[in-house]
Amino acid sequence: MNITKEQIDDLNAVVTVAVSKEDYQKNVDGILQNYRKQANIPGFRKGQVPIGLIRQQYGKAVLVDEVNKLLQDSLNTYLKEEKLDVLGNPLPRLKEDFDWDQEPLAFEFELGLAPSFDVKLKTRKSITHFQIKADKKEVDQQMERIQKQYGKLISKNEVTKEDEVTGSFRNAEEEIEHKTTFEVSQVAAKKAASTLVGAKPGDIVKLKTKGLFKETYQLAGNLGVAADKAEKLNVEVDFEIEEVNHREAAELNQELFDKIFGPDQIHSEQEMRDKIVADSEAQFVQQSDQKLLNDITERLIEQCDFKLPNDFLKKWIQASSEEPISDDQAKEEYEKSEKGIRYQLIEAKIIDEHGLSVSQEELIDFAKGFMKSQMAQYGHMNPSEEELSSLSMRILGNPEEAKRLSQQLMSQKLLELYKKEANLKVKEVSYENFIKEAYGS
């Protein structure tokens, strides 16, 4: 076997693999002999079919199969030995009139090569690293929500602005039939709010869906419809009131502190406020980190200006598609994925240059932490080490889950590196201002 490479340019090459009979004939003959032993052909005893007849019937198919296996193995070995950093997979140059009887058999493969570039984590412009602080307004709102949540529910006979109502929304034409509970204060439309105020259990009031609630998700949840439908919905619905209740806020006392945080963990309103601040800011870190990671990603893509083998990658997308796609569709798919390809190359280079890796031990510890946080959401606050180990090994036994967790852990390591090495500008903001500055809403 002989393999040669023709360098077209910095990003494209063609590899030619010449396969001689000595490379495949022994395997082909062995497979055909096994076929002969098992063949049941009328007129011949089992195992006594002439090898010429077996070769005539199965020889070409066996030859093609064995040569393809040989090509795949030898090409992969060649790419590793030559340390060729290829994008996608080698694409065979297909010939309709290929002669399988020629000697040697010659096959050509197109290669798309990864570009050479440098990555500097110290970007020219600084990147804002938001540190989100829980302000008094947010803490007050959280305190109020908790007091209402654990407060006393008092039944009433008439709706006021301070009450919550339980009832069913209906509209036969839009197939809406949904029971829900909401606070009157959540109703954004003034006319709808005034219609509800003064109504009694058993009354049916008519409300317009457009602008009924401030947020689309609130309308979707209360009507029991999909968000995309709720966003466009502009109809009149009947709302039959079944219950009217007023929530009397719970007192800030030891009984409430113990109920929420556990016995003797919190002893005063100020300690409760401090706990809310700490918990909120811990949650804010995740959002701030994700924003930072997104911003650094965008900046690195913008700063690392390198070319890609565009034509090759479009061909590769077309060749690897499960369903046949046109040239225009392949071009569209490539344009969608180009930024992702660029960042994958940048990320791989950063990981390599800074020696980042994920060990099995680190992955197991990370999986345990993931399982512990998941269990905490369902009230299981103190799982045993045995439970965590068992669940972690089970989840890591799933290759897709193991890959997902490994990627998350590597993202954490990259984020830690960026915090140390990147050109960051720290900015303290409230959560409300973070949303406005980060997402413009």
Side-chain angles (χ1 to χ4, degrees), residues 19-211:
V19 182
S20 63
K21 276 191 176 182
E22 289 77 11
D23 297 317
Y24 60 80
Q25 195 63 54
K26 184 177 178 181
N27 285 351
V28 170
D29 290 343
I31 292 170
L32 292 177
Q33 286 294 346
N34 287 333
Y35 278 20
R36 181 175 182 248
K37 292 175 184 177
Q38 302 298 325
N40 286 311
I41 297 179
F44 299 96
R45 285 185 295 167
K46 186 175 181 179
Q48 298 300 314
V49 180
I51 189 64
L53 184 58
I54 295 293
R55 193 179 301 280
Q56 182 181 348
Q57 289 192 2
Y58 304 107
K60 183 61 66 66
V62 172
L63 168 65
V64 171
D65 190 45
E66 284 304 300
V67 168
N68 280 332
K69 288 179 187 176
L70 191 61
L71 284 172
Q72 186 174 10
D73 291 343
S74 59
L75 195 53
N76 287 338
T77 301
Y78 175 79
L79 295 177
K80 288 178 183 177
E81 289 177 348
E82 296 296 315
K83 297 180 180 178
L84 292 175
D85 192 1
V86 300
L87 301 179
N89 294 311
L91 291 179
R93 284 184 170 178
L94 302 177
K95 296 180 182 178
E96 292 183 6
D97 57 346
F98 187 81
D99 182 8
W100 285 93
D101 295 322
Q102 66 180 311
E103 175 62 25
L105 298 170
F107 303 89
E108 292 182 343
F109 295 88
E110 294 181 47
L111 303 182
L113 305 176
S116 176
F117 60 93
D118 295 321
V119 180
K120 294 180 181 178
L121 295 183
K122 288 284 185 186
T123 54
R124 291 185 291 272
K125 295 180 181 178
S126 63
I127 299 169
T128 301
H129 181 198
F130 292 101
Q131 290 192 355
I132 309 170
K133 300 296 180 181
D135 63 13
K136 184 177 182 301
K137 179 183 175 182
E138 291 161 353
V139 176
D140 287 344
Q141 289 174 342
Q142 182 69 351
M143 292 283 289
E144 185 180 339
R145 280 195 293 270
I146 291 172
Q147 286 182 267
K148 279 189 175 182
Q149 181 181 348
Y150 289 90
K152 187 189 298 183
L153 205 60
I154 301 171
S155 179
K156 295 183 64 180
N157 294 320
E158 187 174 306
V159 179
T160 69
K161 291 181 180 179
E162 290 75 35
D163 297 332
E164 64 178 46
V165 290
T166 297
S168 295
F169 281 105
R170 296 189 183 92
N171 180 298
E173 188 175 339
E174 295 293 337
E175 298 182 342
I176 295 172
E177 173 78 33
H178 189 67
K179 184 172 180 176
T180 187
T181 298
F182 60 88
E183 296 178 12
V184 178
S185 61
Q186 294 175 330
V187 176
K190 291 182 179 179
K191 186 175 180 181
S194 63
T195 301
L196 284 167
V197 171
K200 298 177 174 59
D203 289 351
I204 299 176
V205 297
K206 294 187 179 296
L207 305 171
K208 291 279 189 181
T209 59
K210 188 173 179 62

Side-chain angles (χ1 to χ4, degrees), residues 354-373:
H354 292 269
L356 302 181
S357 63
V358 173
S359 69
Q360 186 64 18
E361 185 179 350
E362 288 175 320
L363 187 57
I364 291 171
D365 287 341
F366 185 74
K368 287 180 181 178
F370 172 77
M371 292 308 305
K372 190 173 183 178
S373 65

Side-chain angles (χ1 to χ4, degrees), residues 131-346:
Q131 290 192 355
I132 309 170
K133 300 296 180 181
D135 63 13
K136 184 177 182 301
K137 179 183 175 182
E138 291 161 353
V139 176
D140 287 344
Q141 289 174 342
Q142 182 69 351
M143 292 283 289
E144 185 180 339
R145 280 195 293 270
I146 291 172
Q147 286 182 267
K148 279 189 175 182
Q149 181 181 348
Y150 289 90
K152 187 189 298 183
L153 205 60
I154 301 171
S155 179
K156 295 183 64 180
N157 294 320
E158 187 174 306
V159 179
T160 69
K161 291 181 180 179
E162 290 75 35
D163 297 332
E164 64 178 46
V165 290
T166 297
S168 295
F169 281 105
R170 296 189 183 92
N171 180 298
E173 188 175 339
E174 295 293 337
E175 298 182 342
I176 295 172
E177 173 78 33
H178 189 67
K179 184 172 180 176
T180 187
T181 298
F182 60 88
E183 296 178 12
V184 178
S185 61
Q186 294 175 330
V187 176
K190 291 182 179 179
K191 186 175 180 181
S194 63
T195 301
L196 284 167
V197 171
K200 298 177 174 59
D203 289 351
I204 299 176
V205 297
K206 294 187 179 296
L207 305 171
K208 291 279 189 181
T209 59
K210 188 173 179 62
L212 183 57
F213 295 96
K214 183 178 180 181
E215 303 291 346
T216 301
Y217 76 86
Q218 292 176 313
L219 182 64
N222 283 306
L223 296 185
V225 299
D228 56 348
K229 179 176 180 177
E231 194 171 4
K232 302 172 185 175
L233 201 61
N234 184 15
V235 297
E236 188 175 73
V237 290
D238 290 335
F239 181 64
E240 183 176 358
I241 300 171
E242 298 173 23
E243 293 180 32
V244 181
N245 294 294
H246 179 75
R247 284 192 179 271
E248 188 176 89
E251 289 186 29
L252 294 172
N253 54 29
Q254 195 61 47
E255 181 183 355
L256 179 65
F257 301 149
D258 290 349
K259 188 181 293 185
I260 299 170
F261 303 105
D264 291 323
Q265 298 299 308
I266 300 294
H267 302 93
S268 67
E269 178 181 344
Q270 187 56 52
E271 287 185 15
M272 180 175 173
R273 285 179 173 275
D274 292 343
K275 174 67 173 170
I276 289 172
V277 168
D279 289 349
S280 297
E281 291 183 355
Q283 292 179 356
F284 294 157
V285 167
Q286 295 179 0
Q287 296 183 58
S288 173
D289 281 353
Q290 188 58 55
K291 172 63 177 169
L292 178 62
L293 192 59
N294 293 343
D295 289 347
I296 290 178
T297 298
E298 290 293 330
R299 188 64 58 82
L300 289 173
I301 291 172
E302 175 188 313
Q303 188 168 291
C304 294
D305 186 19
F306 53 80
K307 293 181 180 180
L308 290 171
N310 299 326
D311 292 339
F312 170 84
L313 289 170
K314 290 170 194 173
K315 287 183 189 177
W316 175 69
I317 287 173
Q318 197 168 22
S320 58
S321 174
E322 292 183 2
E323 300 291 334
I325 60 174
S326 66
D327 292 347
D328 288 341
Q329 287 173 315
K331 179 182 177 183
E332 185 180 349
E333 285 299 313
Y334 174 65
E335 288 171 353
K336 289 179 185 176
S337 60
E338 182 184 359
K339 185 180 283 189
I341 294 170
R342 288 182 178 278
Y343 185 66
Q344 285 177 9
L345 290 170
I346 293 168

Side-chain angles (χ1 to χ4, degrees), residues 5-24:
K5 177 170 71 76
E6 178 189 0
Q7 193 76 30
I8 307 300
D9 55 38
D10 289 343
L11 300 174
N12 296 275
V14 174
V15 168
T16 301
V17 183
V19 182
S20 63
K21 276 191 176 182
E22 289 77 11
D23 297 317
Y24 60 80

Side-chain angles (χ1 to χ4, degrees), residues 372 375-376 379-385 387-388:
K372 190 173 183 178
M375 294 166 79
H380 193 2
M381 305 303 294
N382 294 300
S384 67
E385 182 64 22
E387 281 181 287
L388 289 174

Side-chain angles (χ1 to χ4, degrees), residues 370-426:
F370 172 77
M371 292 308 305
K372 190 173 183 178
S373 65
Q374 291 290 302
M375 294 166 79
Q377 292 181 18
Y378 295 94
H380 193 2
M381 305 303 294
N382 294 300
S384 67
E385 182 64 22
E386 186 178 350
E387 281 181 287
L388 289 174
S389 295
S390 175
L391 289 169
S392 298
M393 295 312 294
R394 190 183 307 168
I395 196 172
L396 292 176
N398 181 326
E400 289 185 5
E401 284 297 311
K403 181 180 178 182
R404 183 177 66 84
L405 289 176
S406 181
Q407 289 172 339
Q408 288 182 5
L409 180 52
M410 181 54 76
S411 288
Q412 281 191 9
K413 293 193 171 197
L414 283 165
L415 188 61
E416 290 168 7
L417 176 67
Y418 295 155
K419 285 180 178 179
K420 291 178 184 176
E421 302 290 338
N423 183 12
L424 304 183
K425 178 180 67 177
V426 175

